Amino acid sequence: MDLQLITQAIPITAIVCLVYTATRFELREKIISASRAMFLKTLGVLTGIYLFLIWFSS
Amino acid sequence: MTDPRVPLKNPLLAAVLALVIPGAGHWYQERKFKSVIFFCGILTLHFWGTFLGHGQPVYSHVVVRSTPDSPQYEDSEPRSSFSWGYAAQAFTGLPAWPALIQRGRFKKTDDTVGFLDHAIDEQFVGVLKLDEGLESSRRAVTGHLQVRPAAEEGSRNVSGTLTLDESSIDPENPIREIQLEGPFRQGRKVFGSPWRRIACSIQAADGAESFGEIEGSVPRSFLNWFQAPRDNEELDRMSGSLARQFDVASVCTWIAGLLNLLAIWDAAQGPAYGYGDEQPPTRTDEEEKEEEEPNEKT
């Protein structure tokens, strides 16, 4: 179940980043590049939190 | 100030369209790339959440239980409180607005509680309660319920049968068909649970004396439970069967609504950070200004 929820989190994060950056900019290239950067940063932070929680609970 | 290159047309109309259908306001403004992103992104999140939560995460009110009995049996409007999650979900637009219609239907006095005006022929899940002399017993059963009102125009008394599934037949007392007759109760027509409460008296074999009852649920039609107000018992049932998946489902629908709020703002006022091709001021520009200022002073 956990793995399933984590797998779902990736496309959900991608959608949220794309829609959010679309409300920030108008230019197509800027929307795509900003959403890509936001997606990678968010995924990095989430992975970091996840690894910390695994370490903390072990 | 909005960039003149962003075609806002009539911003108020665009905002209203964006509120009704995500992306519709931007389509009207001919900002079609963003329109497709909002339409697909926001509706995917909303419907994905609805799918994950088995159609249950969107509702406007939660019923407050005031008696030990289930609020499904209350014929007048049960007391309820606003669900704050809906404040976010409502911004998704049309896909979340049936909850308001269901709320309106839910508020009406329900004449069908304790009154049957049509035959029921449904799958039954519930409990069989028997009073046998000084002893009483309860056991979970499933089966097929067929009841009809005592009078053609409808009645508070019914007659019918409950045919038990093989797995529900007691080996010590292998009765397959239970005769039902007498007072009848059923839950409200509109309620946020796919299961409608039902209770009916059991007729003894000789047909003379009631000696127990069945209490359980039969399926409620989709149009009568989808996005309707529900009680904590139903929310507990969902959390029990779906666990964290129900929380994720609810959060998805909240985020969808909040993102559409940003999209509505974008339709009315344009993008928050500008067009996207603005260059940040460079060091050379600043240096040039600094160089110019002392010259002007001298």
Side-chain angles (χ1 to χ4, degrees), chain A residues 2 22-27, chain B residues 31 34 244 271-273 275:
Chain A
D2 278 342
T23 65
R24 306 291 97 180
F25 304 104
E26 191 67 22
L27 201 64
Chain B
R31 300 156 78 189
K34 294 177 81 165
R244 276 167 287 186
Y273 295 166
Y275 197 79

Side-chain angles (χ1 to χ4, degrees), chain B:
Chain B
M1 189 181 162
T2 310
D3 192 301
R5 290 173 291 177
V6 180
L8 291 181
K9 290 193 177 179
N10 182 341
L12 183 63
L13 177 60
V16 171
L17 287 171
L19 173 63
V20 176
I21 301 171
H26 292 79
W27 191 268
Y28 155 72
Q29 291 171 327
E30 295 180 11
R31 300 156 78 189
K32 292 186 177 172
F33 178 67
K34 294 177 81 165
S35 171
V36 171
I37 288 177
F38 293 141
F39 184 82
C40 297
I42 291 168
L43 291 185
T44 299
L45 269 180
H46 177 83
F47 287 117
W48 182 242
T50 305
F51 170 75
L52 279 183
H54 293 193
Q56 296 272 50
V58 182
Y59 51 91
S60 68
H61 283 73
V62 177
V63 177
V64 179
R65 180 179 278 219
S66 51
T67 61
D69 214 3
S70 169
Q72 284 206 35
Y73 289 131
E74 291 183 37
D75 52 359
S76 57
E77 183 199 349
R79 200 158 58 88
S80 58
S81 59
F82 182 69
S83 165
W84 287 104
Y86 189 70
Q89 291 164 340
F91 286 108
T92 312
L94 275 181
W97 290 352
L100 300 173
I101 299 170
Q102 296 290 52
R103 164 74 175 152
R105 295 178 69 207
F106 180 80
K107 285 173 77 172
K108 291 177 184 164
T109 301
D110 194 333
D111 298 328
T112 64
V113 175
F115 185 85
L116 190 66
D117 58 0
H118 65 282
I120 292 177
D121 189 349
E122 297 280 6
Q123 193 65 23
F124 173 86
V125 179
V127 177
L128 177 63
K129 301 176 184 173
L130 295 175
D131 295 324
E132 295 160 312
L134 294 174
E135 291 182 10
S136 60
S137 66
R138 294 166 64 101
R139 65 186 173 93
V141 293
T142 59
H144 194 84
L145 182 72
Q146 290 176 300
V147 289
R148 59 192 172 279
E152 265 185 38
E153 65 275 13
S155 173
R156 293 189 176 278
N157 291 303
V158 299
S159 61
T161 56
L162 173 65
T163 308
L164 297 179
D165 292 340
E166 288 294 335
S167 57
S168 297
I169 296 175
D170 184 0
E172 293 176 6
N173 185 15
I175 299 172
R176 184 178 178 79
E177 198 169 88
I178 296 169
Q179 296 297 320
L180 307 168
E181 192 160 339
F184 165 85
R185 287 202 305 166
Q186 66 177 345
R188 295 176 66 84
K189 187 178 177 182
V190 179
F191 198 89
S193 168
W195 294 96
R196 189 175 190 179
R197 288 265 188 162
I198 205 162
C200 186
S201 298
I202 296 171
Q203 191 69 18
D206 58 6
E209 195 181 340
S210 172
F211 74 110
E213 71 168 354
I214 57 163
E215 186 169 13
S217 307
V218 294
R220 179 181 268 115
S221 79
F222 176 79
L223 291 177
N224 288 334
W225 68 258
F226 184 64
Q227 296 193 4
R230 72 274 327 266
D231 60 348
N232 280 320
E233 187 182 348
E234 180 60 20
L235 293 174
D236 289 346
R237 191 182 71 80
M238 293 309 298
S239 297
S241 63
L242 297 177
R244 276 167 287 186
Q245 187 176 316
F246 190 66
D247 298 329
V248 173
S250 300
V251 170
C252 279
T253 56
W254 299 342
I255 292 174
L258 294 173
L259 284 174
N260 200 39
L261 185 59
L262 296 179
I264 293 165
W265 191 264
D266 182 71
Q269 293 285 317
Y273 295 166
Y275 197 79
D277 58 356
E278 295 87 350
Q279 296 297 322
T282 57
R283 188 176 173 80
T284 51
D285 291 341
E286 289 170 6
E287 284 171 355
E288 279 172 14
K289 281 180 186 174
E290 284 172 6
E291 284 171 9
E292 282 171 12
E293 280 172 7
N295 292 338
E296 284 170 6
K297 284 174 187 174
T298 54

Side-chain angles (χ1 to χ4, degrees), chain A residues 6-25:
Chain A
I6 291 166
T7 320
Q8 285 171 10
I10 294 171
I12 288 171
T13 308
I15 292 171
V16 170
C17 292
L18 184 61
V19 174
Y20 177 78
T21 49
T23 65
R24 306 291 97 180
F25 304 104

